[in-house]
Amino acid sequence: MRRTDLGGHGPVRFGPPLPDDGLPVLPELAGVLAAAAGRAASEPVGGGAALLEAACGYWDRRGLPTAPERAVAAPGAPALLLALTAALGGDVLVPRPCAAWWAPYARLLGRRVFHVPTPAESGGVADPYALLETVRRVRAEGGDPRLLVLSPADDPAATVAPPEVLHESLEAAAGEGLHLISDETWRDTVHAPHETVLLSPAEMLPEQVTVVTDLAGAHLPTGWPAAVARFPAGDGTHARVLDVLTALGARVAGPVALAAGYALAEPEPVTTRITATVRLHARLAAAAHAAAADAGAIARPPQAGRHLYVDLGPLRAGLSGHGVGDAQDLEDFLAGRLGMPAPGGHRFGDALGALRVRLSTGALLTGTDEERAECLTSPAPLELPHVRRALTHLKSVFEELRHDAERWETPR
């Protein structure tokens, strides 16, 4: 009998965190945090002047001019999304699949969440025709769709939405009067920045898009929660979000705020580390994608981030021999086999019966701090012994699944 109760694995009680980069903290960044450890003053709700000015400079350099009164900081993107959802009201539309933390916050507020399929080219962005049909259906049933969340550089799909696909989706959303939240956590992790065009929805619809960036994407360790948001001019959302953050007491910790301001200013040590980290994870993701594809699994080629979204449906016959019948079974099975987190696709809004998982490339960086740091400077990081062992193990697990599937296939 297929399970309906996921026990302790429920979508609110268990949500996979953002993929870690698997690397030691940048020494200069650690120094800023350590120097601020004696700071007793509390950071204001919404962020202090220095942090907001650094955030504005960050957006200015990306073609999104921003004034401090249109920016807010919070202890992580989930707090910002919760505040935005509370401030804007109505039902929420998200792509299928989407980041695991998007939907639970809307449900905690009692808001309905509707998943919209994504186009074949990429994840993170709702298919425009499916979006229009979903809005029509929700309204016909008495719903009130007001908010669409999207991500031009996506978790979990690890893809970058082509500008024309993004534009069509935004046009459809604007025509229906939806407010858009663009999660741009992974925009600075594009694997081939000179070959991949990434546009922010705020460049296309500046009056209707709120940009949210969790600094754990590229600038800070995942354990130092800080995120920033950029609001459209004059729509009142900024003030309402501050009200919610105040009610929650959602302040960025003082030492983390100083580290975040340093990172957002993007001095040379930070930009050098980001470039090296992106290059390393691009190689790891390509190797993991090749291992999955060689075994017969399906995955879009990763273009951003530190993760890979794999569909093991073609290997279902072999997996069933291991008692794997749904995404929760697959999550448990692969986590044990791989020795690394393998959250199932149901965490990201996909159907429980679909055999999909997100794999994080940071988990492939094992060993001591020195060994992991060496990966950033090595001309051939995949050939380092500790990385090669991890990749060999990943390949062997996928190869075993391929052999199992071939044995269990019905002869024609």
Side-chain angles (χ1 to χ4, degrees):
M1 179 180 295
R2 184 60 45 229
R3 72 168 61 123
T4 56
D5 178 7
L6 297 183
H9 300 277
V12 173
R13 285 174 288 167
F14 171 80
L18 291 178
D20 188 88
D21 67 9
L23 296 166
V25 176
L26 176 68
E28 289 83 355
L29 199 56
V32 172
L33 189 78
R39 179 184 178 189
S42 173
E43 186 78 359
V45 172
L51 176 54
L52 296 183
E53 287 174 7
C56 291
Y58 166 85
W59 283 310
D60 287 346
R61 291 189 295 275
R62 286 154 180 80
L64 295 172
T66 308
E69 60 269 18
R70 293 172 56 196
V72 161
L80 284 174
L81 186 58
L82 176 65
L84 279 161
T85 306
L88 291 166
D91 298 325
V92 181
L93 304 173
V94 296
R96 184 191 298 277
C98 69
W101 53 274
W102 287 1
Y105 289 91
R107 295 191 178 106
L108 284 174
L109 292 169
R111 306 291 165 73
R112 295 192 300 172
V113 179
F114 298 92
H115 288 268
V116 184
T118 56
E121 295 92 334
S122 64
V125 176
D127 177 88
Y129 300 104
L131 175 62
L132 292 173
E133 175 57 25
T134 301
V135 170
R136 183 201 64 76
R137 176 174 53 82
V138 171
R139 287 177 176 157
E141 295 173 355
D144 182 22
R146 294 190 200 175
L147 178 62
L148 173 66
V149 189
L150 52 86
S151 54
D154 188 47
D155 171 20
T159 57
V160 174
E164 61 276 10
V165 173
L166 181 62
H167 185 263
E168 290 175 1
S169 186
L170 295 181
E171 277 195 330
E176 296 298 331
L178 302 178
H179 186 99
L180 296 108
I181 296 178
S182 177
D183 177 6
E184 300 186 8
T185 295
W186 301 105
R187 72 163 296 156
D188 296 311
T189 66
V190 175
H191 296 172
H194 299 297
E195 302 170 17
T196 307
V197 178
L198 187 151
L199 291 178
S200 169
E203 297 178 66
M204 299 180 178
L205 294 176
E207 303 307 316
Q208 290 177 260
V209 179
T210 297
V211 175
V212 172
T213 300
D214 197 307
L215 301 189
H219 290 79
L220 290 180
T222 55
W224 301 5
V228 290
R230 176 190 185 274
F231 296 87
D235 74 343
T237 308
H238 176 271
R240 296 198 299 275
V241 165
L242 278 178
D243 288 342
V244 178
L245 293 175
T246 300
L248 295 172
R251 292 176 170 85
V252 181
V256 173
L258 290 181
Y262 172 80
L264 284 168
E266 298 181 307
E268 187 275 334
V270 170
T271 56
T272 298
R273 165 60 80 90
I274 290 174
T275 299
T277 300
V278 171
R279 182 171 57 244
L280 170 63
H281 283 280
R283 293 174 175 176
L284 291 167
H289 179 265
D294 288 348
I298 300 172
R300 292 181 175 117
Q303 298 174 287
R306 304 187 286 264
H307 49 280
L308 178 72
Y309 198 54
V310 185
D311 184 348
L312 282 83
L315 307 179
R316 183 180 292 272
L319 286 164
S320 64
H322 296 284
V324 175
D326 61 28
Q328 182 61 62
D329 296 332
L330 182 62
E331 175 182 302
D332 296 337
F333 173 76
L334 276 185
R337 280 293 184 93
L338 293 174
M340 59 187 279
H346 59 305
R347 310 289 181 198
F348 309 100
D350 265 332
L352 181 63
L355 298 182
R356 299 186 182 121
V357 294
R358 186 191 70 184
L359 303 178
S360 300
T361 51
L364 298 171
L365 298 177
T366 59
T368 65
D369 282 355
E370 291 75 16
E371 288 174 328
R372 289 181 288 125
E374 184 185 2
C375 297
L376 292 168
T377 56
S378 171
L382 304 192
E383 295 305 315
L384 295 173
H386 52 289
V387 179
R388 188 168 64 246
R389 283 194 299 271
L391 285 172
T392 299
H393 179 58
L394 179 70
K395 293 175 184 176
S396 67
V397 169
F398 275 121
E399 278 299 304
E400 288 174 10
L401 295 178
R402 181 177 67 83
H403 291 315
D404 290 344
E406 290 173 348
R407 283 199 304 271
W408 283 93
E409 280 180 352
T410 303
R412 297 181 179 179

